[in-house]
Amino acid sequence: MKKFLYKDSWLTGIVVGLGAEMVTGLLLWVIVSALSIPLSDHLQWLGVVFLPVLLILRFYAKSRQHLTTTKSLITVLFVTFVAYMYMLISTRSALVTQPF
């Protein structure tokens, strides 16, 4: 496993990026389900899944030996963030309709 993480390839970046997002999303879903809060009412909380990817991206970007992995992580982050924003806007979860 350690050998796979230090390999400079597109596949490594895609697997690590999507894997980090899935694990974080699953952990968030378990916590929200345990608290009996419907996640569909709070879709903006799913923005937390991008934090581990940003940390992993920083790790790979600091090492100048993994340029291909860094590029693929940036691509994964961009594509999933655009899909997330589209989901928020299409479900109107991004619009604030009530004052605080």
Side-chain angles (χ1 to χ4, degrees):
M1 185 69 175
K2 189 173 184 179
K3 188 176 181 181
F4 177 74
L5 293 176
Y6 284 103
K7 196 163 62 167
D8 188 29
S9 69
W10 282 92
L11 183 64
T12 302
I14 291 170
V15 169
V16 169
L18 289 177
E21 288 179 356
M22 280 192 248
V23 167
T24 309
L26 183 64
L27 183 64
L28 178 68
W29 178 73
V30 167
I31 291 170
V32 169
S33 295
L35 296 173
S36 300
I37 300 173
L39 189 59
S40 60
D41 294 344
H42 304 284
L43 290 177
Q44 64 271 17
W45 291 355
L46 288 174
V48 173
V49 301
F50 299 113
L51 293 177
V53 179
L54 288 172
L55 293 174
I56 294 168
L57 178 62
R58 181 182 179 273
F59 169 76
Y60 278 111
K62 284 183 78 173
S63 168
R64 298 195 183 263
Q65 301 168 356
H66 303 287
L67 293 177
T68 307
T69 304
T70 304
K71 289 176 189 177
S72 63
L73 275 170
I74 291 170
T75 303
V76 166
L77 183 65
F78 177 76
V79 168
T80 55
F81 186 75
V82 168
Y84 171 70
M85 291 306 293
Y86 176 75
M87 179 191 66
L88 280 182
I89 292 171
S90 67
T91 60
R92 300 193 188 272
S93 295
L95 302 175
V96 178
T97 57
Q98 299 174 0
F100 295 103

